[in-house]
Each structure stands twice: as structure tokens, then as C-alpha cells.
């Protein structure tokens, strides 16, 4: 979609939505985005812990949310969470562990709180495929949860009736669920925040089925709230400068659609 | 379903199916089950590594497959895989890490092979929700993969069109996919092995939405191949004796349905 096309609908500002939700982490994220003027999330899909922490410190000034995959770190140490939290506090961003919990309630409860990673101790936000049914949300009670309602990859099964069921489950659990991973706005509940992965400056795909959409398609046409950018920033010659470019593009797209 | 009801259909023996598939791990599992006369898998959802290894040694003589959740072990050490493999070799069972991979191909490839757990180094079998699309199977190429086609929990979204898409994806990737997590037989391809969780001697449910079905319902009525039993064995006063009871019930149910 070109920048000149009219937005399909206007949106409430993040600040107004902060006042319309009682989800404390949704409020915190809305205010953070307005304060810092960024709706950019960076996915740090790196396999070295120090590399991740250095990149977090470099990109921290530009982002609202840092997305991690703790289980790909080859050299994870138990102080990872504490170290990352210190960087998050310094640069004022939230930590989103993209674990994609996808088991029954009893099991995800143990996976979230226990094990070596102790995700509950350091992640502000987590996510889940609610494919096992609403028991997974019960098992993750006390977390700040995004449900995967759509995916960006080719041939995804998260569509149609599946997506509608996920939206219904989210809206029935506003005390835990604070948003979606989706390609577009799916709910009018003001506390539901839409995160979209698979975003780059130019559209395209990778060799394992990931598809890339543009910032304007996702934020202006589809009215998502936050873009998640991975290799488009981390594989750039100058990741800091590239993050600044994405941040400005995403924030301008948001601003021009606010009522 | 009572034991006296007629089976809906007769099945090929595991031995015949071993000769009809080219999937090396499916062959190995079919032969192991016939040799050892067991189609029982035990889910060891414990949070202590030594507790898991001791229970594996205790239950090993009765089982075809040991199912693990490595990421709930509070005291995981890098030699876990080597230790568990030694017990598996001693008692002649396979190791199935129930990780439920559920991301895009690029990410699951790193999660499977890397990180602290290095699942690829010690797990004979893994599983995945193919919700991201077939890229996840490409990302897990080289593994022995079960796709989650159905779940046992209440309100699961793995049904209808979703399940049919999973079956189609499995049948299109016979070099990697060796079976399903499902409640019933879903494919006539002889190399596709059906594993069913949520099985106990009596039907019922837990407080987080897990539902339990009986051995005969799953193996005689639904023509699944392997039952996965967790708390029904591990929480028994005498887990070894309870495993023997499940093993005999499951093997008799299989034998009486073989053509």
C-alpha cells in the first residue's frame, strides 16, 4: 500500500488507550511508547549471550520492546535475566521472551516459572499459541501474555476460524492477555496491543518460509500497533542507524493514523 | 467404550508396518515395540534431573518411548542427554523430547540444534505444532518428527480444518514426519505412528483443562498406536507396578485389533 492511500480507519492514541485499560503492563507499554516516541520492537535472534546484551545496549534507545529467544543462546548463564533487566531499565524498554508456549496449562506453568531459564523472573511479556485451549491461559496466570492469532510465515494455519477462536479467548481473559501477535488489528478492546513480526523496509521472503511485509502495510493499512523487526536491523551494516530508520518510519505511520 | 464392542477396523501389525515404511526411526520403533511387547510411553513431567533419571531406570523395562520436558528441570546439567541415553540403551527405549516447537523454520532450527539443551544431540524423536506452515518441517529436517494434529485438553483448537491441514503436511513430508500426536488414527500411511496423551485407566480431567480417556477408547475404538501416560503412573504409590499394568492393558488392546 502506498503512503498516499487513505487509512481504513482512525485509531485511538496509545495515551488514550492507556487510560481505557486496567492491564497494568499494557498501560505501562502504552505510556512508554508515547514517552519515548517509538513503537518498534527488535527481535535479537542471536546465539551469543554477550552479543545479545551488547546489541540490546546499542539498540535500546530506539525501541519499546526487546524480543528474545533465550533458548537459542549457546552460552546462557543464570544471570542473563538480571543483566538484561539492567539494560532495559537504563534505556526504558520492555523485555518480551518469544517462547511461544504451546502445551497444556500444567506444563506451561512449569516451563514459564521453572527450569534453567526461569522466564517469569525477568520477562515483562511472553506469548503463547492457545491451541491447547483456555487452560494454557490459566496456566500462565500472572504473566503478561500475547496470544499468537496470526503468523507471518507462508502456509500458516493461524487463520480463519482458528484466528477468531484466539480473539475470543483473548477477550475473555483481559486480566492476563494484553495483546496479539497478528498481521493486523483484530480486536477493538483498547488494552489489546497488536504486535506484527515479519516486517522489513521492502517486502520479500527467506528460504524457510518467512514472509516480509512493509511498515506502512502493517501500521497504516492493517492498523497494527508495534512492528517487530529482526534481520532487517540486526543484519544491517549499521544496526543502530537502521533501528533509527525503522523507528522513525513506524512512529510516523502510527502518528498519521491517530484520530 | 467397553471391551466387548467390535473394533471399527483391523490394523496392520507393527512388524508389517516396519517393512512398509522407509522412515528409519519409525522402523526402529515398530521393531522395538514388537520385540519388547510394549506400546506404552511414559511422560516424566518431573522437575528434578536425578528424579527423572531414576524414574527412567525404574520404568525403562516397561516402555517403548520415554517422553521428557527438558525445560522444566530445575537442575539441568549438560550431561543430561548422555546420562539419559545410557539408560535408554540399557532398557531399549526411545527418547521423545516433547518440546512442541511452534515457530518459523529459521528459529526452530536454532532451538532444536543449539541453546543449552542441544536437543538434537540426545532426543530420538521430537514434535511440533506446524502452525507456522511447512517451513517448520524444513527447519527441523534431519529430525524424527511428530506433528501435533489433535490435543487431549478441553477447548483445543487442533480440530477440523486445522487437523486436516496437519495431516496433509505430514503426508507431504514422509522423510521427516514419522507420526502424530492425536486422539485417533488419522492417516493410512503405514509409517505414520499415532501417539495419544491424556490416557489413564479411568476417564476424568485435571484442574487446568487436561482430559483423560481410557486405554481401550484410544487403542481399540480410535486405533491409535501408542498411549502416553503421565501422572497416572508417576503419581502412583508404586510407579513400576502401575507401568506394568498400563503396559499390559495397552499391549492387549493392540493385539486384539491386529488383522
Amino acid at each position: 500500500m502506498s503512503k498516499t492511500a487513505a487509512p481504513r480507519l482512525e485509531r485511538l492514541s496509545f495515551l488514550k488507550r492507556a487510560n481505557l485499560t486496567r492491564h497494568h503492563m499494557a498501560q505501562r507499554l502504552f505510556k512508554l511508547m508515547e514517552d519515548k516516541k517509538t513503537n518498534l520492537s527488535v527481535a535479537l535472534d542471536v546465539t551469543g549471550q554477550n552479543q545479545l546484551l551488547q546489541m540490546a545496549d546499542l539498540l535500546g534507545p530506539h525501541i519499546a520492546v526487546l524480543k528474545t529467544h533465550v533458548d537459542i543462546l549457546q552460552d546462557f548463564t543464570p544471570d542473563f535475566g538480571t543483566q538484561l533487566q539492567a539494560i532495559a531499565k537504563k534505556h526504558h524498554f520492555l523485555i518480551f521472551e518469544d517462547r511461544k508456549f504451546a502445551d497444556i496449562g500444567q506444563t506451561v506453568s512449569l516451563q514459564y516459572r521453572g527450569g534453567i531459564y526461569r522466564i517469569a523472573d525477568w520477562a515483562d511479556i511472553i506469548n503463547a499459541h492457545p491451541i491447547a485451549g483456555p487452560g494454557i491461559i490459566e496456566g500462565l496466570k500472572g504473566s503478561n501474555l500475547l496470544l499468537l492469532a496470526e503468523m507471518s510465515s507462508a502456509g500458516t494455519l493461524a487463520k480463519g476460524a482458528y484466528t477468531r477462536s484466539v480473539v475470543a479467548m483473548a477477550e475473555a481473559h483481559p486480566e492476563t492477555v494484553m495483546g496479539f501477535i497478528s498481521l493486523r488489528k483484530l480486536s477493538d478492546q483498547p488494552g489489546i496491543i497488536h504486535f506484527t513480526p515479519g516486517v522489513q523496509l521492502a517486502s520479500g521472503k527467506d528460504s524457510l518460509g518467512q514472509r516480509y511485509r512493509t511498515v506502512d502495510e502493517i501500521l497504516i493499512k492493517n492498523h497494527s500497533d508495534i512492528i517487530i523487526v529482526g534481520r532487517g536491523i540486526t543484519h544491517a551494516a549499521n544496526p543502530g542507524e537502521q533501528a533509527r530508520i525503522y523507528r522513525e518510519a513506524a512512529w510516523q505511520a502510527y502518528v498519521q493514523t491517530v484520530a
Side-chain angles (χ1 to χ4, degrees), chain A:
Chain A
M1 185 168 173
S2 78
K3 281 193 180 182
T4 55
R8 287 197 308 180
L9 59 162
E10 292 189 327
R11 69 164 98 219
L12 288 176
S13 73
F14 294 149
L15 215 52
K16 283 185 185 152
R17 286 165 69 188
N19 294 322
L20 291 170
T21 179
R22 281 189 296 192
H23 195 298
H24 82 100
M25 190 59 73
Q27 282 184 340
R28 196 173 144 197
L29 178 52
F30 279 135
K31 288 176 183 169
L32 184 165
M33 290 195 287
E34 288 282 5
D35 283 352
K36 204 169 162 180
K37 300 204 185 312
T38 175
N39 55 340
L40 173 63
S41 172
V42 170
L44 289 191
D45 294 344
V46 298
T47 58
Q49 178 170 301
N50 286 337
Q51 191 187 0
L52 190 154
L53 294 170
Q54 284 164 17
M55 195 75 96
D57 198 31
L58 176 71
L59 303 180
H62 299 294
I63 64 178
V65 177
L66 183 85
K67 186 172 89 62
T68 57
H69 281 301
V70 68
D71 59 353
I72 68 173
L73 298 177
Q74 304 281 3
D75 53 355
F76 169 87
T77 55
D79 62 349
F80 168 74
T82 316
Q83 289 194 62
L84 186 56
Q85 281 181 318
I87 298 169
K89 190 171 179 187
K90 172 180 169 191
H91 294 298
H92 198 41
F93 62 76
L94 300 182
I95 303 168
F96 163 29
E97 165 56 26
D98 184 11
R99 171 57 176 76
K100 294 185 172 68
F101 292 102
D103 214 308
I104 60 173
Q106 166 78 12
T107 301
V108 297
S109 179
L110 295 170
Q111 291 171 323
Y112 171 53
R113 295 178 175 84
I116 289 290
Y117 296 136
R118 305 186 67 82
I119 294 168
D121 289 355
W122 52 268
D124 298 304
I125 300 169
I126 57 168
N127 62 351
H129 287 293
I131 188 164
I136 192 172
I137 303 177
E138 302 294 323
L140 295 171
K141 200 169 271 183
S143 75
N144 305 300
L145 183 62
L146 307 179
L147 295 185
L148 286 121
E150 296 180 319
M151 294 185 78
S152 49
S153 45
T156 175
L157 305 183
K159 61 186 179 182
Y162 182 96
T163 298
R164 288 190 295 276
S165 298
V166 175
V167 172
M169 256 192 259
E171 293 183 344
H173 293 85
E175 73 296 345
T176 304
V177 180
M178 63 175 282
F180 292 123
I181 301 294
S182 64
L183 300 177
R184 70 202 84 246
K185 182 183 177 186
L186 293 173
S187 170
D188 283 327
Q189 285 196 2
I192 296 274
I193 307 179
H194 299 78
F195 289 65
T196 303
V199 179
Q200 290 200 348
L201 292 174
S203 52
K205 59 183 179 175
D206 80 358
S207 62
L208 289 173
Q210 174 69 307
R211 290 183 299 190
Y212 295 105
R213 294 168 177 82
T214 65
V215 177
D216 285 0
E217 180 183 352
I218 293 306
L219 294 180
I220 299 180
K221 183 178 162 208
N222 291 1
H223 264 247
S224 182
D225 297 308
I226 295 177
I227 59 166
I228 303 173
V229 182
R231 288 168 263 177
I233 289 175
T234 57
H235 288 201
N238 184 339
E241 171 61 14
Q242 198 71 355
R244 196 190 55 71
I245 292 170
Y246 272 98
R247 172 204 191 155
E248 288 190 2
W251 191 252
Q252 286 312 313
Y254 158 69
V255 164
Q256 71 178 273
T257 54
V258 171

